Amino acid sequence: MLESKLPTVGTTIFTTMSQLAAQAGALNLSQGFPDFDGPEALREAVCRHLMAGGNQYAPMTGLPALREQVAVKVARFYGRSVSADQEITITPGATQAIFCAIQAVLRPGDEAIVFDPCYDSYEPSIRLAGASCIHQALTLPDFSIDWQRLADAINPRTRLIVLNTPHNPSGALLSTADLDRLADLVRGRDLYILSDEVYEHLVYEGAEHASVLRHAELYERAFVISSFGKTYHVTGWKTGYVVAPPALTAELRKIHQYVSFTAVTPLQGGLAEFMAAHPEHLDELPGFYQAKRDLFCSLLEGSRFSFRPAAGTYFQLADYSAIRPDLDDVAMARWLTLEHGVASIPISVFYQSPPAEARLVRFCFAKREDTLREAARRLCAI
Ligand code: PMP
Ligand code: GLN
């Protein structure tokens, strides 16, 4: 009998809730994906590349044209000049990038610190590297880092700290001051940073995304990861990238080349063409998603949920303690799906030890206006 390397891992909550939503015929505001398509010009560009024969292996590091576009974007948004050849790697999704970066850094006996609630792929990747995953809960209600507790948790075995800003599921943002504090804590230590920034362009109210790419000192020890899936409304394309200094990139690529070797060629070709032709897409994204957030939140005002509008991401947390305080969030998410036709994600699954008092579920607002209106109508009727 094969002894499981991940005995406590089951099916992800995203699969579970999306399946339940489909079975119940519920509106699916659980798993994070848009119910609308990516830009037509982007899809046409991919079709052109596919029909023109761009169907064999791309270079292991990614198509040069796409790496160039990422370099242009990094310079434009974060003021950093990075080498497309030595610091950028295109990957089949951010999840694969996270896995490769973690394998590149961690060895048995090492510790990696993650902040709960945390994205579900970090811990299994850390454990498969033979390292320990140290969970530190963010402080409610604003999901901020407790710096003293972080300082206390860092020890000679600590090799990696995983950041996620804008933060899934809370929508919270780290600030430049937060990054400065982190730099103070890691200075002089043999410690790396994985910065999961897949929602980098989804920040609201004119806020600036505090990317690790903007922070010279942290970048020296960082893997910064993003996903074209989020930025171009094409989560099913599973295409992402990592920006890291040359020495870290070299180690990451040693793993990436044996996990997948490369990412899907015509998707890369189409993305490169679209990015060059439509830089305005990135400027329009915050407004595009803020309008959805604002619509959803204004409609939810008429409900018994309470919430603070998300500062970033396309997720909105909602507190249901005025509705069913008797239910934990997993039961609440099931009840909402089965009895009220709206699927959400319970946030306790993103914790090692969920806060007993939390009565929060996560709704994804990357949806068409009619979907958001109908979902809100159902939620307001409860
Ligand atoms: N990190 C976070 C925080 C996410 O929400 C997601 C989206 N699923 C990913 C990573 C993975 O992105 P991708 O689909 O490109 O693998
Ligand atoms: N990132 C998506 C979410 O948080 C889900 C991705 C997945 O299904 N693995 O909902």
Side-chain angles (χ1 to χ4, degrees), residues 70-143:
V70 173
V72 166
K73 176 194 133 156
V74 166
R76 179 168 159 231
F77 281 85
Y78 308 122
R80 172 166 304 282
S81 160
V82 289
S83 156
D85 283 336
Q86 293 183 56
E87 299 180 79
I88 297 171
T89 309
I90 308 298
T91 62
T95 309
Q96 191 263 17
I98 290 164
F99 182 83
C100 293
I102 286 173
Q103 304 309 312
V105 168
L106 294 179
R107 290 181 164 76
D110 287 343
E111 293 182 358
I113 297 177
V114 302
F115 298 101
D116 284 358
C118 81
Y119 188 59
D120 66 343
S121 86
Y122 305 152
E123 171 153 16
S125 304
I126 290 165
R127 298 220 324 248
L128 287 174
S132 307
C133 186
I134 309 299
H135 292 260
Q136 180 157 347
L138 294 169
T139 307
L140 297 179
D142 53 356
F143 293 88

Side-chain angles (χ1 to χ4, degrees), residues 14 30-32 119 168 199 230 315 362:
F14 307 116
S30 64
Q31 192 176 22
Y119 188 59
N168 177 10
Y199 301 103
K230 317 288 172 193
F315 301 116
R362 187 197 82 177

Side-chain angles (χ1 to χ4, degrees), residues 13 16-31 305 327 329-346 361-363 378-379 382:
I13 189 68
T16 304
M17 291 311 301
S18 278
Q19 275 175 356
L20 191 67
Q23 278 162 20
L27 294 171
N28 190 359
L29 272 55
S30 64
Q31 192 176 22
F305 289 92
L327 295 183
D329 60 352
V330 174
M332 180 66 180
R334 283 187 63 84
W335 182 75
L336 281 176
T337 308
L338 297 174
E339 303 297 325
H340 297 280
V342 182
S344 59
I345 294 284
V361 289
R362 187 197 82 177
F363 295 107
R378 295 180 189 185
L379 295 172
I382 304 171

Side-chain angles (χ1 to χ4, degrees), residues 285-315:
L285 265 186
F288 175 80
Y289 275 115
Q290 187 174 326
K292 293 192 180 297
R293 180 201 71 162
D294 290 348
L295 173 69
F296 188 56
C297 287
S298 70
L299 295 168
L300 270 196
E301 292 287 353
S303 76
R304 289 191 291 151
F305 289 92
S306 59
F307 56 89
R308 330 160 140 212
T313 73
Y314 48 43
F315 301 116

